[in-house]
Amino acid sequence: MYDIHQRIGIRAPQAEVHRALSTVEGLASWWTTDTKGDPSVGGKLTFTFGSPERSAGFEVVETTYDRIVWRGIAGPDEWIDTTFTFALAQEDGETVLQFTNAGWREAVPFIGHCSTKWATFFIGLKALLEGGRSNSYPDEIVISSWDH
């Protein structure tokens, strides 16, 4: 199995970072503006990037103050049954987000694309929570033709 890992420090209270990762409004503010669903445990979330063919669905598995976990249930085949974990901790005056997308069956080129793309969205999340502006879809940073 293969995993994607990202780590970013955000100069914002953990409660604000948690809210950005655990509410529909928060998620829409940094990932895609077309975010729908129920972010509570057992709920389903859908993120759409311009058309139904470019969407992803998740089941919310866990939500605590320090950790949010989703399971991929729709969207790219590579994401189905993988887990998406957002772990939060206070370190050195910042909230550290450690993200893992675990359980990829193969190390396909799409894993590299997703790793880079997650990094761009997390940089946007950091900018937003530190008083700037995010780069959520459709104003995302385009990293390749796969973004269209």
Side-chain angles (χ1 to χ4, degrees), residues 71-95:
R71 182 177 65 86
I73 58 172
D77 289 340
E78 295 88 350
W79 285 11
I80 304 298
D81 289 326
T82 65
T83 58
F84 296 74
T85 302
F86 305 84
L88 301 174
Q90 287 296 134
E91 293 179 23
D92 300 322
E94 62 186 7
T95 300

Side-chain angles (χ1 to χ4, degrees), residues 64-144:
T64 66
Y65 188 66
D66 298 323
R67 197 169 125 106
I68 297 157
V69 181
W70 303 337
R71 182 177 65 86
I73 58 172
D77 289 340
E78 295 88 350
W79 285 11
I80 304 298
D81 289 326
T82 65
T83 58
F84 296 74
T85 302
F86 305 84
L88 301 174
Q90 287 296 134
E91 293 179 23
D92 300 322
E94 62 186 7
T95 300
V96 174
L97 165 60
Q98 293 200 63
F99 169 79
T100 305
N101 175 206
W104 287 65
R105 294 175 293 283
E106 300 178 79
V108 294
F110 190 51
I111 199 170
H113 174 84
C114 291
S115 180
T116 304
K117 199 66 182 183
W118 278 114
T120 68
F121 284 119
F122 291 140
I123 289 167
L125 170 64
K126 175 182 174 67
L128 178 68
L129 294 177
E130 292 181 356
R133 184 174 172 271
S134 75
N135 51 7
S136 60
Y137 180 89
D139 298 321
E140 68 189 301
I141 298 170
V142 175
I143 63 168
S144 79

